[in-house]
Amino acid sequence: MIIKTYDAKEIELKPAELLKALGKKLKETDYKEAAGKLRDKAAGAAKKIRTLDPKKTASDFWNGKPHEERRLGDLYIPGTGLYKHREWRGVKDTFYYFHMIWLYNYAHMVTDIMKYGNLPDFLKGTLRYRWMGQTYLTVMHWFDRGMEGMRGPALRASAWHYRGMTSETIRQFQAMFASDKKLHGGAANELWKKHIAHNETVSGCIFYPWRDELDDVPLEMIPYFVTCHVNNHTVLNYIDAAQSIGLPADPCPMCQAEYGIFVLDDYPDYAPIMITSNEACDGSVATSILQDWFLNRPLYAMPQPMRYDDPLVQKHCQEEIEGAWRFVEEQMGIPFSWEQYVKYAESFNKLTEFEHEKWDVAANTDYYPVNGVAQALYRIYYSQDGDRPIWHEVDKHVRKIMENSVAKKINSFPKTRHRVIAWSCAPLYYSNWCTWAYNCWGLNCVINMDSLMFDQMLRTDTYEHALEDLAWFNEKAPMRAMAVGGHEHIFQLWQYMERFNCDMVVMYDQLQCKGMQGIHGMFEDEFRKRNIHAIWVPHALPDKRTVSRREIRQIINDYMTTVMHEEPLDPTLVDFEDGDSW
């Protein structure tokens, strides 16, 4: 190759010599750039040391950094929402998290396996069922996300709610595995004969008359509902499986996932009977039909009325419950026990009483120590599951924390800019968005629509009163009353906004919910008329592929910057990729 030198002389270089010369030049350039970066970094570090405030450094170590300085997004491994290392919350809260949340829950995840069953059944269930292995191993990341940035009473009270849900989840899947024909050579053991399977939206309160003799375990609660929150990848293959056999893709993804479990034969066979419901729409009816087909055993469909205010409809709902009771008596050979119903209904009423106390503190003070995701998930779980010892244990701990917070006037969410109510059906794959929203923007989700369901005390003075209240309770299931129960119930939003002193609405826009889509325009009109700030958050319930978590965050970011003209509290949380994380 002929090249010219600086004095216009021409010389010839062989290709090998040319490459060597270029490599030497590039290497010198790299060295210079690297040296420059090191100098700049050293100068910055020296400047930081010179301006270091020993008192602030000590305070940051002992108490943790102030909210605006935490930079929680820097903790994530690039491209994920997974931690490089956990957050330093100050000495007291970091050690509390390590001992009483991380270590405590890992230990109880092991001991609960033995308490509620045995290790061989657990191992066989983990290897047999896809949802089990994918969910159990990622539980502590679920804790991390839900309590990110939390301090003091909020960290403690929220963690106890998660502890209760984890313990009850283990109890349920251990009960299923112990009696599962598929794990025991296809034979029905004695435990199989003592279980009632039911749809996750059929409340456990229905089965109180048999609680001492039979164990009622919701069939989809663990394979579907819990798994969405813990690991958002888990249910996607069930949705695809439902569509693969020719079922349409436009009904609710919740219903698709629930019957996709059956298409892939990924459900335990642990009970001789099944009770289903039409909660919350026609898609659920289709699920019940498919479950009846796959299960091939006695099944009772206990429908709930869509518009339940009519007294005649109320009477019909009571008759459906009595029909379910007769079905259990006939199939299981155990008579209805009024004494057992009274015992468990009155015990459950204590949970409802404390829930009302929590609502009063959340509505009327700044001292409520539970974050939005813990409050909503716990409320849905225990009210659908029915009375269990673990709920009373959790409430005992939370009561102590809450009363101390009120007495000492501890504000667990001091950076609150807006008190938010979240309305309609939430994105199950991103339930911890409200933790992110507070940390990033100061949006404090005080209450969720689903938290307000099942708001009914159960009278036990007479059979007639008990049946009447149980029917009302059953009709106030999640999504039933305030999603497809008529516009007068859906528009209770305004009353709850006033009750909980909220100034902003996050309006969940479930893209495949025909009920809520039909009333979208009416909400828009009301928001304008009432001058209410509302952020519409589109999602597809359990299917993260339609609208990702990152897209949800971007929608909120855009509203807060362009409409509210506010700056983020933690800029590192504004935009990050977490599509591949749990």
mmCIF file of all heavy atoms in Angstrom, residues 66 83 125 137 188 198 265 326 352 358 376 477:
data_model
loop_
_atom_site.group_PDB
_atom_site.id
_atom_site.type_symbol
_atom_site.label_atom_id
_atom_site.label_comp_id
_atom_site.label_asym_id
_atom_site.label_seq_id
_atom_site.Cartn_x
_atom_site.Cartn_y
_atom_site.Cartn_z
ATOM 1 N N PRO A 66 -31.517 9.909 53.196
ATOM 2 C CA PRO A 66 -32.840 10.519 53.001
ATOM 3 C C PRO A 66 -33.446 10.068 51.676
ATOM 4 O O PRO A 66 -32.731 9.648 50.760
ATOM 5 C CB PRO A 66 -32.537 12.028 52.980
ATOM 6 C CG PRO A 66 -31.211 12.177 53.639
ATOM 7 C CD PRO A 66 -30.455 10.927 53.354
ATOM 8 N N TYR A 83 -31.718 -7.148 42.179
ATOM 9 C CA TYR A 83 -30.727 -6.389 42.931
ATOM 10 C C TYR A 83 -29.302 -6.896 42.721
ATOM 11 O O TYR A 83 -29.060 -8.101 42.692
ATOM 12 C CB TYR A 83 -31.025 -6.469 44.431
ATOM 13 C CG TYR A 83 -32.223 -5.687 44.883
ATOM 14 C CD1 TYR A 83 -33.087 -6.216 45.838
ATOM 15 C CD2 TYR A 83 -32.492 -4.428 44.370
ATOM 16 C CE1 TYR A 83 -34.196 -5.509 46.266
ATOM 17 C CE2 TYR A 83 -33.584 -3.714 44.797
ATOM 18 C CZ TYR A 83 -34.432 -4.253 45.744
ATOM 19 O OH TYR A 83 -35.519 -3.554 46.174
ATOM 20 N N GLY A 125 -44.258 -32.478 44.392
ATOM 21 C CA GLY A 125 -45.098 -31.409 43.856
ATOM 22 C C GLY A 125 -44.296 -30.362 43.113
ATOM 23 O O GLY A 125 -44.714 -29.846 42.069
ATOM 24 N N LEU A 137 -39.288 -20.577 44.645
ATOM 25 C CA LEU A 137 -37.894 -20.145 44.714
ATOM 26 C C LEU A 137 -37.726 -18.639 44.580
ATOM 27 O O LEU A 137 -36.635 -18.119 44.826
ATOM 28 C CB LEU A 137 -37.080 -20.867 43.632
ATOM 29 C CG LEU A 137 -37.040 -22.397 43.756
ATOM 30 C CD1 LEU A 137 -36.297 -22.999 42.576
ATOM 31 C CD2 LEU A 137 -36.394 -22.818 45.071
ATOM 32 N N ALA A 188 -56.651 -42.797 45.331
ATOM 33 C CA ALA A 188 -57.252 -41.832 46.252
ATOM 34 C C ALA A 188 -56.979 -42.270 47.688
ATOM 35 O O ALA A 188 -57.438 -43.330 48.116
ATOM 36 C CB ALA A 188 -58.760 -41.744 46.006
ATOM 37 N N HIS A 198 -62.604 -25.878 45.212
ATOM 38 C CA HIS A 198 -63.527 -24.834 44.760
ATOM 39 C C HIS A 198 -62.774 -23.759 43.991
ATOM 40 O O HIS A 198 -61.545 -23.637 44.092
ATOM 41 C CB HIS A 198 -64.306 -24.221 45.928
ATOM 42 C CG HIS A 198 -63.455 -23.581 46.992
ATOM 43 N ND1 HIS A 198 -63.162 -22.241 47.008
ATOM 44 C CD2 HIS A 198 -62.846 -24.112 48.080
ATOM 45 C CE1 HIS A 198 -62.413 -21.963 48.064
ATOM 46 N NE2 HIS A 198 -62.211 -23.069 48.729
ATOM 47 N N ASP A 265 -52.760 -30.017 31.973
ATOM 48 C CA ASP A 265 -52.777 -31.015 33.043
ATOM 49 C C ASP A 265 -51.822 -30.624 34.169
ATOM 50 O O ASP A 265 -51.044 -31.427 34.676
ATOM 51 C CB ASP A 265 -52.400 -32.393 32.496
ATOM 52 C CG ASP A 265 -52.610 -33.501 33.542
ATOM 53 O OD1 ASP A 265 -53.536 -33.373 34.367
ATOM 54 O OD2 ASP A 265 -51.827 -34.468 33.536
ATOM 55 N N ARG A 326 -76.317 -28.423 50.366
ATOM 56 C CA ARG A 326 -76.913 -29.748 50.165
ATOM 57 C C ARG A 326 -75.994 -30.623 49.313
ATOM 58 O O ARG A 326 -75.861 -31.830 49.555
ATOM 59 C CB ARG A 326 -78.285 -29.610 49.496
ATOM 60 C CG ARG A 326 -79.382 -29.072 50.403
ATOM 61 C CD ARG A 326 -80.762 -29.250 49.781
ATOM 62 N NE ARG A 326 -80.896 -28.503 48.531
ATOM 63 C CZ ARG A 326 -81.313 -27.231 48.464
ATOM 64 N NH1 ARG A 326 -81.629 -26.563 49.573
ATOM 65 N NH2 ARG A 326 -81.419 -26.623 47.292
ATOM 66 N N THR A 352 -62.669 -8.844 60.277
ATOM 67 C CA THR A 352 -63.349 -7.728 59.621
ATOM 68 C C THR A 352 -63.356 -6.490 60.512
ATOM 69 O O THR A 352 -63.168 -5.360 60.032
ATOM 70 C CB THR A 352 -64.791 -8.124 59.264
ATOM 71 O OG1 THR A 352 -64.774 -9.329 58.474
ATOM 72 C CG2 THR A 352 -65.487 -7.022 58.479
ATOM 73 N N LYS A 358 -58.273 -0.518 60.691
ATOM 74 C CA LYS A 358 -57.173 -0.138 59.794
ATOM 75 C C LYS A 358 -57.631 0.931 58.805
ATOM 76 O O LYS A 358 -56.906 1.897 58.530
ATOM 77 C CB LYS A 358 -56.660 -1.370 59.050
ATOM 78 C CG LYS A 358 -55.900 -2.351 59.934
ATOM 79 C CD LYS A 358 -55.793 -3.729 59.306
ATOM 80 C CE LYS A 358 -54.942 -3.760 58.082
ATOM 81 N NZ LYS A 358 -54.827 -5.134 57.515
ATOM 82 N N ALA A 376 -53.593 -4.465 50.080
ATOM 83 C CA ALA A 376 -54.541 -4.987 49.093
ATOM 84 C C ALA A 376 -54.441 -6.496 48.951
ATOM 85 O O ALA A 376 -55.452 -7.210 48.985
ATOM 86 C CB ALA A 376 -54.316 -4.308 47.749
ATOM 87 N N ALA A 477 -67.755 -10.059 46.309
ATOM 88 C CA ALA A 477 -66.457 -10.636 45.988
ATOM 89 C C ALA A 477 -65.642 -9.677 45.120
ATOM 90 O O ALA A 477 -66.200 -8.764 44.511
ATOM 91 C CB ALA A 477 -66.652 -11.973 45.269
#
